[in-house]
Structure formats: C-alpha cells, structure tokens
Amino acid sequence: MAEPLSKSQQSLRGRKIADMTDQQLRDWIQACEKMENWVGHAKARRGWRLSGVQAEKELDRRNSTSKAR
C-alpha cells in the first residue's frame, strides 16, 4: 500500500523545518498526522508525532514574532 502523502508533502521529506515556509509547515503538519496514523511501528509513530510538534512550534514561534512587531 502506498503512502498517504500528496506529492507536495512527499517533497518536504528531509527538509529542515526552519527552512520551510508557513504554508509548507501547515502541509508538513498534516503529513505528520497522516503518517502517524498510517505507520505500524511505535518508533515510527513517535518520530512523525515529534516532527509534527516541532513544525507546530516553529509556526507558533513565527506567528508570535510577527505579532510582536
């Protein structure tokens, strides 16, 4: 069975979270949620969950920085 990720989400694999645009971060967070439910092993689920949390923190950091200006 093929991965449930779109082409745009697949293209984000291996990229640094800090280098992603806001839209790419939102796309990556959705990809992490999909993959967390799709993979079978607990270690893989934790990895996807952690990556999604890191992307959410980066997005929050950017939003709080832009509001402070």
Side-chain angles (χ1 to χ4, degrees):
M1 186 155 114
E3 290 183 352
L5 300 181
S6 67
K7 287 184 181 186
S8 66
Q9 290 170 331
Q10 288 177 0
S11 71
L12 296 173
R13 291 184 86 164
R15 294 191 57 192
K16 292 182 181 180
I17 288 175
D19 294 340
M20 293 182 190
T21 65
D22 290 355
Q23 181 57 44
Q24 288 172 328
L25 283 171
R26 286 187 282 276
D27 202 19
W28 184 245
I29 291 166
Q30 289 178 348
C32 291
E33 291 170 354
K34 285 181 186 179
M35 290 302 290
E36 185 181 348
N37 292 320
W38 186 76
V39 296
H41 299 290
K43 186 174 182 180
R45 283 193 303 273
R46 284 192 301 271
W48 283 106
R49 186 178 322 118
L50 177 61
S51 185
V53 167
Q54 290 171 339
E56 288 173 352
K57 286 181 181 179
E58 176 66 18
L59 199 55
D60 289 344
R61 183 190 66 77
R62 291 180 187 183
N63 289 334
S64 66
T65 303
S66 65
K67 289 179 185 176
R69 292 180 186 178

